[in-house]
Amino acid sequence: MNPYVLTALLSSLGLGTTLTFASSHWLLAWMGLEINTLAIIPLMAQHHHPRAVEATTKYFLTQAAAAAMILFASTTNAWLTGGWDMNDMSNPIASAMVIAALALKIGLAPMHFWMPEVLQGLDLLTGLILSTWQKLAPLALIVQTAQAIDPLLLTTLGLMSTLVGGWGGLNQTQLRKILAYSSIAHMGWMIIILQYAPQLTLLALLMYIFMTSSAFLTLKASSSTKIGTLATIWSKSPILTTAAALVLLSLGGLPPLTGFMPKWLILQELAKQGLPLLATVMALAALLSLYFYLRLCYAMTLTISPHTNTFITPWRVQTTQFSFPLALSTVVALGLLPMAPAIVMLV
């Protein structure tokens, strides 16, 4: 893609998200979401492949439906209350429609069906943008309107997303689909704690972005898109493979890795709020996700493809990929747990 076009599209992505962040007026927020959607569509369709075009079409249709629903809900709310302010969502029907539309935007269950299919049709870098940056604007709107939304509805969305994200990834062999279900499960963790401790939602989002970035960039560096190809990367770069396995365990939430921190704090907060049963179900749902991360780790570190030498290939061509983002995200995804007390004090 032409670098000038790429710069314009990435700038538009940044502009759309910033516009939504800064707005307290529904029309301005809707405009930011639309700019975001329109900016990523050329990035998704840049590889002229039937799967990419299909994924782009599916993404456009779901996002357009969600945007139309947001516009309809905000118009209904303005008609009934006389204002477009986000903090004045006093009508329960408009509030329910807004949360349904925003859930569709970020792929919360049961509005998640587009997410694995779309991510499977994209290249890894565009998939990374879709899994991280594109979640920011809708999540900001959910955080802003959370107080007006029925707590039972938020709890149901969060619990369903965590369970569906765990169950859905069990039978997958495509890495992008596994990461899509991982994204759905993580969004569930963020939504379930939102009404009790919004700062933990932001912390979980930040940790998720670092861990997912590290996972996607590792797969990009090793050119892996299926579980089968993971078995061949040990002989090419053992250090990268070791780091990738640890990042996947961090995504699963195992101590002493970074991914344990948000899960631990969320379960602690749920117990404090007098919801031990909900905390138990969430912890058990996390085990489902952990199973498919362990599958990937097993394929990477404990199996070797029959066509692969057991020693490191000394003649491999040096990569020209820019590795600083991968190194930074991997360090953050693995080593932030000792700083948990300081982070808790900050949030």
Side-chain angles (χ1 to χ4, degrees), residues 316-329:
R316 193 167 70 87
V317 178
Q318 289 295 314
T319 179
T320 55
Q321 292 183 37
F322 187 49
S323 57
F324 176 72
L326 171 57
L328 177 67
S329 57

Side-chain angles (χ1 to χ4, degrees), residues 5 17 43 47 99 101 127 135 141 164 167 211 219 232 269:
V5 175
T17 305
L43 293 173
H47 303 289
I99 190 65
K135 308 280 189 194
L141 294 182
V164 166
W167 282 116
M211 292 186 292
L219 296 179
T232 65
E269 185 62 32

Side-chain angles (χ1 to χ4, degrees), residues 77 89-98 148 150 153:
N77 190 64
M89 293 293 291
S90 52
N91 183 30
I93 297 173
S95 300
M97 282 172 64
V98 161
D150 181 17
L153 182 58

Side-chain angles (χ1 to χ4, degrees), residues 218-231:
T218 304
L219 296 179
K220 177 80 170 65
S222 58
S223 303
S224 304
T225 54
K226 295 195 287 290
I227 289 184
T229 54
L230 287 179

